């Protein structure tokens, strides 16, 4: 493996290359291969940007056809056939079947672009400067998104002060006995609380980087009621938890809520191509033409792949397969929790967005290393990096899922009792040919 060029020329900020010291060359489904032909099951999937697996043929085939046809790739916010096809597919396959009606804003290619646009629109709509955000939240790496993130180390990035953010406890923080929704309702209604009414409440239904903390349906329903009661815009950051990750297309569907604004990115393109949108309740869409902009908001190749992804959700067989895989993963993780109580405190998350809260950061670090040595990519999350994130593609095959869980099982076993034996790779994963 020759990785000298990365150490010599790439910034010190690089992270995943240090965690996974291999040079990768090829990927398909839930498996990627390094240049020596070694296979790895991918439970990382671009930190949730490849929910549909690597090079999903249903998504990539239309992209290839589009690329060889001398079609438009960048169009700002001009009208194109690819953009029209995406909008129609998203409305017909995603919004209408769920009884949702939103205007669609194309703010720029990344999740933080979407969150910045949502926060700006909420402030413009209400005329209020502050935003209410939650403990352990993460919303992106631009200044507005950093300001509403919960981690102290994250908020300190950028070197400037963060203003107009009201920090409140998430569901279950600091413990299950505390009624955080009741607290929010009380302080917003009490003129003596010293807390001003915010423009918006922004939340993740599952806090991926915050430790895979999952909000309950009852809590989400109550937060929506509070927002309606106090005239506060409800923003759901569905950038990592959305686009099918929890088993439903939107992560909030299980709670039967309808946020005022929804932010989508990461797996929205279905292919790893940068793409984000902001879904806006029509009466809140008070933008003036050109008031919010972004050069790369017209990524037509992403329109093509995202449209193909949306159409997959009209296939009942596909949706049933996702539900079945989510249920299987949850059963497998329950088994690991029961099997390794010395290593694992609890299972977290929901559907195919799962986590294992471990006893220490050291446990997670060692499990990560042993898993990689045996052909599995996983990462950690949480303010103390003591949660193993389990993010397989929602299209993962049974064989790939079983093999990935077997590697994770082995890594936990090695941590629990010192078993240093290696596990063989199945023959069908042994090389990239």
């Amino acid at each position: 493996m020759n990785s000298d060029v990365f150490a010599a020329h790439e910034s010190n900020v690089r992270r995943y290359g240090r965690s996974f010291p291999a040079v990768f060359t090829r990927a398909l489904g839930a498996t990627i291969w390094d240049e020596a032909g070694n296979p790895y099951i991918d439970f990382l999937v671009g930190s949730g940007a490849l929910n549909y697996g690597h090079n999903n043929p249903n998504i990539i085939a239309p992209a290839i056809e589009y690329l060889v046809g001398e079609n438009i790739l960048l169009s700002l916010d001009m009208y194109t056939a690819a953009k029209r096809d995406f909008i129609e597919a998203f409305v017909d396959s995603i919004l209408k079947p769920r009884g949702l009606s939103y205007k669609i804003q194309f703010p720029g290619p990344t999740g933080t672009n979407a969150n910045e646009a949502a926060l700006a629109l909420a402030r413009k709509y209400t005329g209020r400067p502050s935003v209410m955000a939650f403990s352990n939240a993460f919303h992106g790496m631009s200044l507005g998104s950093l300001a509403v993130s919960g981690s102290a180390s994250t908020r300190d990035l950028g070197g400037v002060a963060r203003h107009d953010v009201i920090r409140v406890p998430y569901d279950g923080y600091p413990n299950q006995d505390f009624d955080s929704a009741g607290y929010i309702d009380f302080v917003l209604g009490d003129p003596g609380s010293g807390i001003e009414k915010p423009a918006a409440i922004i939340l993740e239904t599952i806090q991926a980087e915050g430790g895979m903390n999952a909000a309950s349906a009852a809590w989400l329903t109550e937060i929506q009621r509070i927002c309606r009661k106090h005239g506060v815009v409800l923003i759901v950051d569905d950038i990592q938890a959305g686009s099918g990750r929890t088993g439903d297309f939107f992560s909030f569907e299980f709670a039967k809520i309808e946020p005022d604004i929804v932010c989508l990115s990461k797996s929205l393109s279905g292919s790893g191509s940068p793409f984000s949108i902001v879904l806006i309740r029509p009466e809140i869409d008070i933008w003036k033409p050109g008031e919010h902009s972004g050069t790369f908001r017209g990524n037509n190749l992403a329109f093509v792949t995202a449209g193909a992804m949306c159409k997959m959700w009209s296939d009942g067989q596909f949706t049933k397969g996702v539900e079945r895989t989510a249920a299987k993963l949850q059963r497998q993780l329950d088994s690991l929790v029961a099997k390794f109580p010395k290593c694992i405190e609890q299972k977290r998350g929901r559907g195919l967005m799962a986590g294992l809260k471990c006893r220490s950061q050291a446990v997670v670090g060692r499990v990560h290393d042993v898993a990689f040595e045996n052909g599995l990519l996983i990462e950690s999350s949480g303010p103390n990096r003591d949660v193993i994130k389990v993010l397989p593609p929602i299209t993962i095959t049974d064989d790939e899922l079983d093999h990935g869980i077997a590697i994770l099982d082995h890594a936990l076993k090695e941590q629990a009792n010192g078993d240093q034996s290696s596990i063989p790779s199945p023959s069908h994963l042994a090389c990239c040919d």
Side-chain angles (χ1 to χ4, degrees):
M1 178 186 71
N2 182 2
S3 59
D4 294 345
V5 65
F6 306 109
H9 300 290
E10 190 175 0
S11 166
N12 290 330
V13 78
R14 67 191 185 280
R15 172 188 170 190
Y16 288 110
R18 301 177 194 271
S19 298
F20 306 111
V23 178
F24 299 104
T25 58
R26 183 174 177 265
L28 185 65
T31 305
I32 67 175
W33 291 265
D34 66 19
E35 59 185 358
N38 299 309
Y40 299 82
I41 299 296
D42 191 357
F43 279 11
L44 171 66
V45 292
S47 196
L50 290 163
N51 287 354
Y52 301 86
H54 296 271
N55 293 303
N56 187 306
N58 294 316
I59 294 171
I60 295 301
I64 294 173
E65 182 179 353
Y66 190 82
L67 280 172
V68 300
E70 298 182 356
N71 291 296
I72 294 171
L73 292 178
L74 177 65
S75 60
L76 301 177
D77 67 354
M78 292 184 287
Y79 303 149
T80 66
K83 185 177 183 179
R84 179 181 59 204
D85 291 346
F86 164 71
I87 292 173
E88 290 176 347
F90 189 80
V91 170
D92 292 342
S93 299
I94 305 300
L95 294 183
K96 284 185 177 179
R98 292 162 179 79
L100 299 173
S101 177
Y102 289 114
K103 300 293 286 294
I104 304 171
Q105 180 183 354
F106 300 91
T110 70
T112 199
N113 291 136
N115 282 335
E116 294 280 4
L119 293 169
L121 181 58
R123 286 174 166 133
K124 175 180 172 65
Y125 178 74
T126 62
R128 304 181 205 126
S130 66
V131 173
M132 190 168 276
F134 290 94
S135 54
N136 288 317
F138 178 77
H139 295 289
M141 298 301 292
S142 53
L143 289 181
S145 297
L146 287 171
V148 293
S149 294
S151 168
S153 60
T154 298
R155 293 197 314 276
D156 289 342
L157 293 172
V160 298
R162 312 289 190 270
H163 300 293
D164 297 325
V165 176
I166 304 163
R167 198 79 50 192
V168 290
Y170 192 72
D171 189 18
Y173 184 94
N175 54 59
Q176 293 297 328
D177 294 330
F178 182 73
D179 180 8
S180 64
Y183 167 78
I184 293 167
D185 192 15
F186 182 83
V187 298
L188 289 183
D190 180 12
S193 70
I195 294 178
E196 62 189 78
K197 184 180 293 187
I201 291 179
I202 183 169
L203 63 85
E204 307 152 274
T205 67
I206 301 175
Q207 296 182 318
E209 304 311 314
M212 304 303 282
N213 309 307
S216 68
W219 186 82
L220 291 168
T221 300
E222 184 64 5
I223 293 296
Q224 176 172 270
R225 185 195 67 78
I226 292 166
C227 285
R228 301 286 190 267
K229 173 183 175 181
H230 295 284
V232 175
V233 175
L234 175 58
I235 302 172
V236 169
D237 173 350
D238 227 12
I239 288 161
Q240 188 164 160
S243 300
R245 172 49 55 189
T246 63
D248 297 318
F249 186 84
F250 295 108
S251 71
F252 54 81
E253 290 183 48
F254 83 113
K256 295 180 173 56
I257 63 171
E258 294 186 16
D260 299 307
I261 299 177
V262 181
C263 300
L264 292 170
S265 187
K266 283 193 179 279
S267 282
L268 179 62
S269 75
S271 62
S273 183
F275 184 37
S276 74
I277 61 174
V278 181
L279 303 179
I280 307 165
R281 195 155 50 84
E283 54 268 37
I284 295 177
D285 183 27
I286 61 170
W287 288 122
K288 297 177 182 178
E291 189 172 16
H292 192 279
S293 188
T295 300
F296 295 102
R297 64 194 185 279
N299 181 351
N300 282 252
L301 187 61
F303 294 155
V304 171
T305 56
M309 177 275 293
C310 290
K311 292 174 183 176
M312 293 170 67
W313 287 88
S314 296
D315 182 348
Q317 187 174 2
F318 169 78
T319 57
K320 288 178 182 177
V322 173
E323 293 172 4
R324 183 186 62 81
T325 302
K328 178 176 180 176
L329 174 64
Q330 290 295 316
R331 290 193 301 271
Q332 290 174 320
L333 295 182
D334 285 336
S335 177
L336 293 179
V337 172
K339 189 175 180 180
F340 301 107
K342 293 181 180 180
C343 296
I344 305 170
E345 289 185 19
Q346 63 179 181
K347 181 185 71 174
R348 291 183 176 177
R350 183 160 44 83
L352 286 148
M353 188 170 187
L356 296 173
K357 170 66 168 66
C358 294
R359 298 291 177 185
S360 70
Q361 183 185 72
V363 170
V364 175
R366 182 55 184 159
V367 168
H368 169 282
D369 292 345
V370 174
F372 176 70
E373 291 166 6
N374 287 281
L376 176 68
L377 305 185
I378 56 172
E379 69 169 329
S380 62
S381 76
N384 299 311
R385 313 308 296 181
D386 57 359
V387 178
I388 298 171
K389 288 176 71 176
V390 182
L391 299 179
I394 67 174
T395 54
I396 192 170
T397 66
D398 284 344
D399 284 349
E400 289 172 317
L401 182 58
D402 291 343
H403 184 49
I405 293 296
I407 297 173
L408 184 56
D409 180 291
H410 167 77
L412 288 163
K413 182 179 180 181
E414 186 270 357
Q415 181 65 197
N417 60 22
D419 182 4
Q420 299 290 331
S421 63
S422 62
I423 58 177
S425 296
S427 60
H428 73 284
L429 297 176
C431 70
C432 59
D433 295 327

